[in-house]
């Protein structure tokens, strides 16, 4: 049996699977995010441990006999978080999370340094780990002087599970300290950020062993041991493992709070200037790239709040099939934008409002605008040589048939819908545990789910959506607040 733990921003999810991938039990536990100042986002690492205790106890209660046969644990987690610990493994301050924006100036300074983009393969975004440490060094020098190790969130959970300071390549690729092509810490990038190699955890591949469960926990959980903890992965790499998106041409589009268009790569081909993320995959000799937009279903949630009608009701008022673009254009830059603009100051807009329009027109425009933003990511990814054959569509927005057909027409790609399979980062983490314990090939374990349905682009209208996308692209310069 194998346990997958996914440490999310708002909670921890655990699933117990057998070697065939059948889910035997699952559980979730929530925790809070603190916002002590505008733009700050922090969490207490102790809350992650309590959530892990809670979910493991719940899984064990649901499937005690199966749990007793546990041989491996896989872990995934939200990326970029800075968990600072001293020489005694004590946490020095709350973890600064991925969506914290306090280190904007520090990120810009690091990004401007010669060679940093070439080493890391990415723009240094404020959410990355390195600028967070630069901010702490400037504003909390007494704290940074005591830092013995910097751990990513899932790797602090690993420390509690195993007593080891270990990370994997996929998660570490989002720190701006890793040479992403070489899959190793970069002394030059570390020095640029005022850090040392001895402050970094040991690196392993995500599908390799990354410590053993502590004997005290084995005894407490009723396990005979040994129980291997896999290297694990950052959340998007783990989700890709869960959906079988490992190699060239395989990927997914996620209509969640934010939007992600992710594709596996057999080689390393970064294009930092496009604001595409180029990271190590969780399996050896593979990488992945993704475009990220900051407001996908969050745009529909925003419209819902202002119209006083639920997102489900707004969606239900639309037909099942999108038969052509609207004359109303929505730009979904409600909180700035990541790919391809890397512009935290740009804000959204409706263009082309007419007195005859109603909430249905607004809803349609919002879904189209998010689809156009994801087309931006597609074009940026194509610029790196990425190939697309089909994409799995996941996330809450994928429940809207109208949104899916709009997206298929806009991307001019088939969208596959998984047939009720357990997906996501927790499944990917559990699959990594299988590989770490058995030595099985990731390609054999991380297969794609059965397809329940395929949404094909309507070739009669794709040209019209292409024209509308061109109009959308031309509007960004009028909205940007740069300078």
């Amino acid at each position: 049996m194998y346990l997958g733990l996914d440490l999310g921003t708002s909670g921890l999810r655990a699933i117990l699977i057998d070697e065939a991938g059948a889910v035997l039990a699952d559980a979730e536990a929530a925790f809070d995010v603190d916002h002590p100042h505008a733009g700050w986002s922090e969490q207490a690492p102790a809350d992650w441990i309590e959530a892990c205790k809670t979910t493991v106890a719940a899984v064990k209660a649901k499937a005690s006999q199966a749990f007793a046969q546990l041989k491996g644990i896989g872990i995934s987690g939200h990326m970029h978080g800075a968990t600072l610990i001293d020489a005694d493994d004590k946490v020095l301050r709350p973890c600064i999370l991925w969506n914290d924006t306090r280190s904007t100036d520090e990120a810009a300074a690091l990004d401007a340094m010669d060679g940093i983009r070439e080493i890391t393969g990415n723009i240094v975004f404020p959410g990355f780990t390195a600028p967070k440490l630069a901010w702490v060094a400037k504003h909390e020098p007494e704290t940074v002087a005591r830092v013995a190790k910097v751990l990513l969130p899932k790797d602090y959970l690993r420390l509690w599970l195993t007593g080891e300071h270990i990370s994997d390549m996929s998660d570490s690729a989002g720190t701006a300290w890793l040479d992403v092509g070489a899959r190793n810490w970069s002394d030059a990038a570390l020095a640029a950020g005022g850090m040392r190699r001895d402050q970094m955890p040991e690196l392993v591949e995500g599908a390799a062993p990354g410590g053993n469960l502590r004997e005290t926990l084995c005894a407490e959980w009723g396990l005979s041991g040994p129980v291997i903890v896999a290297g694990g992965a950052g959340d998007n790499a783990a989700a890709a493992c869960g959906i079988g998106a490992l190699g060239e041409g395989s990927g997914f589009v996620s209509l969640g709070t934010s939007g992600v268009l992710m594709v596996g790569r057999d080689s390393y081909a970064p294009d930092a200037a496009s604001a595409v993320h180029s990271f190590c995959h969780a399996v050896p000799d593979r990488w992945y790239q993704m475009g990220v937009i900051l407001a996908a279903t969050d745009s529909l949630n925003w419209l819902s709040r202002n119209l006083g009608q639920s997102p489900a009701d707004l969606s239900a008022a639309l037909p099942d099939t999108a038969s052509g673009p609207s004359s109303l254009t929505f730009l979904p830059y409600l909180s700035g934008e990541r790919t391809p603009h890397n512009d935290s100051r740009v804000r959204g807009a409706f263009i082309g409002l007419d007195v005859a329009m109603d909430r249905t027109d607004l809803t349609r425009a919002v879904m189209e605008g998010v689809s156009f933003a994801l087309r931006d990511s597609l074009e940026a990814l194509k610029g790196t040589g990425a190939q697309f054959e089909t994409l799995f569509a996941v996330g809450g927005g994928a429940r809207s048939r109208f949104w899916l057909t709009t997206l298929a027409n806009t991307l001019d790609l088939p969208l596959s819908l998984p047939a009720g399979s357990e997906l996501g980062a927790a499944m990917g983490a559990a699959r990594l545990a299988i590989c770490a314990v058995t030595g099985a090939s990731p390609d054999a374990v991380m297969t794609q789910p059965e397809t329940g349905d395929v949404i094909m682009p309507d070739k009669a209208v794709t040209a019209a959506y292409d024209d509308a996308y061109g109009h959308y692209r031309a509007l960004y310069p009028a909205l940007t607040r740069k300078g």
Side-chain angles (χ1 to χ4, degrees):
M1 302 299 161
Y2 302 90
L3 186 68
L5 301 175
D6 177 38
L7 179 64
T9 309
S10 58
L12 187 143
R13 182 155 191 257
I15 63 168
L16 182 69
I17 68 170
D18 61 20
E19 198 161 323
V23 178
L24 306 176
D26 68 310
E28 295 185 49
F31 38 72
D32 295 327
V33 178
D34 296 323
H35 303 285
H37 301 284
W40 289 31
S41 187
E42 298 184 339
Q43 243 166 17
D47 291 347
W48 308 335
I49 306 305
E50 291 305 312
C52 188
K53 292 177 180 178
T54 299
T55 55
V56 169
V59 165
K60 182 181 177 182
K62 291 178 181 178
S64 58
Q65 289 185 332
F67 185 85
Q69 302 175 56
L70 187 69
K71 294 300 178 188
I73 299 173
I75 51 177
S76 74
H78 49 91
M79 298 177 68
H80 317 307
T83 314
L84 312 183
I85 61 174
D86 67 12
D88 297 319
D89 291 340
K90 298 296 190 295
V91 175
L92 294 170
R93 68 171 329 282
C95 177
I96 306 176
L97 299 186
W98 62 275
N99 55 352
D100 188 290
T101 59
R102 77 184 75 178
S103 59
T104 298
D105 292 342
E106 289 78 10
L110 284 171
D111 190 55
M113 291 184 179
D114 288 342
I116 292 299
R117 288 190 180 185
E118 289 73 19
I119 293 169
T120 66
N122 293 278
I123 292 171
V124 181
F125 292 101
F128 282 13
T129 319
K132 293 179 171 70
L133 268 293
W135 184 93
V136 175
K138 180 178 179 181
H139 297 277
E140 301 175 5
E142 71 287 351
T143 298
V144 86
R146 297 174 56 198
V147 173
K149 295 287 184 188
V150 180
L151 297 179
L152 294 160
K154 80 165 193 328
D155 297 318
Y156 180 76
L157 184 60
R158 181 205 312 279
L159 176 63
W160 178 73
L161 291 169
T162 70
E164 302 284 346
H165 306 111
I166 295 174
S167 189
D168 81 292
M169 280 69 165
S170 73
D171 213 358
S172 300
T175 61
W177 290 320
L178 195 81
D179 184 327
V180 175
R183 304 173 84 91
N184 200 356
W185 297 119
S186 164
D187 290 322
L190 287 165
M195 303 300 293
R196 307 183 310 272
R197 186 179 283 256
D198 65 271
Q199 293 173 305
M200 299 297 110
E202 176 189 347
L203 289 172
V204 299
E205 293 286 356
N212 288 331
L213 188 66
R214 290 186 291 123
E215 290 183 3
T216 53
L217 282 178
C218 283
E220 183 179 331
W221 293 353
L223 303 172
S224 59
V227 177
I228 292 174
V229 178
D235 51 4
N236 282 296
C241 292
I243 207 165
L246 298 186
E248 202 75 35
S250 61
F252 64 82
V253 58
S254 175
L255 287 170
T257 301
S258 59
V260 174
L261 202 159
M262 180 271 185
V263 64
R265 302 301 306 269
D266 291 338
S267 60
Y268 178 53
D271 181 12
S274 69
V276 162
H277 293 329
S278 297
F279 292 152
C280 302
H281 213 316
V283 299
D285 302 319
R286 300 276 179 85
W287 287 260
Y288 73 96
Q289 291 179 303
M290 62 182 182
V292 178
I293 66 169
L294 297 179
T297 59
D298 213 25
S299 293
L300 188 62
N301 292 337
W302 166 82
L303 186 67
S304 166
R305 290 195 304 272
N306 283 281
L307 294 182
Q309 195 166 353
S310 73
D313 287 342
L314 291 175
S315 299
L318 295 171
D320 285 342
T321 302
S323 57
S326 171
S327 60
L328 178 63
T329 302
F330 174 71
L331 293 99
Y333 309 140
L334 301 179
S335 304
E337 192 55 291
R338 183 72 61 84
T339 307
H341 302 301
N342 185 32
D343 186 350
S344 63
R345 301 178 66 191
V346 68
R347 290 298 180 266
F350 282 106
I351 306 294
L353 282 167
D354 185 274
V355 69
M357 290 177 174
D358 59 17
R359 66 185 62 198
T360 302
D361 296 293
L362 298 177
T363 306
R364 177 184 175 190
V366 163
M367 292 183 177
E368 283 184 9
V370 169
S371 299
F372 291 148
L374 287 165
R375 169 75 180 270
D376 273 346
S377 289
L378 179 76
E379 297 302 325
L381 287 163
K382 284 181 177 179
T384 71
Q387 302 294 316
F388 295 87
E389 298 167 5
T390 187
L391 294 169
F392 278 97
V394 299
R399 289 192 288 267
S400 166
R401 195 79 174 190
F402 180 87
W403 208 340
L404 288 175
T405 58
T406 299
L407 188 57
N409 291 337
T410 301
L411 301 180
D412 197 12
L413 283 172
L415 300 178
S416 298
L417 304 181
S421 301
E422 171 65 41
L423 302 171
M427 173 59 80
R431 286 176 158 188
L432 289 168
I434 293 175
C435 293
V437 172
T438 67
S441 163
D443 289 293
V445 173
M446 297 166 198
T447 55
Q448 294 187 350
E450 293 183 13
T451 298
D453 197 2
V454 178
I455 309 297
M456 298 297 297
D458 182 353
K459 295 300 183 180
V461 296
T462 51
Y465 279 96
D466 197 55
D467 288 343
Y469 169 68
H471 173 67
Y472 167 91
R473 281 287 291 164
L475 292 170
Y476 166 75
L479 299 180
T480 183
R481 300 181 184 184
K482 285 184 176 179

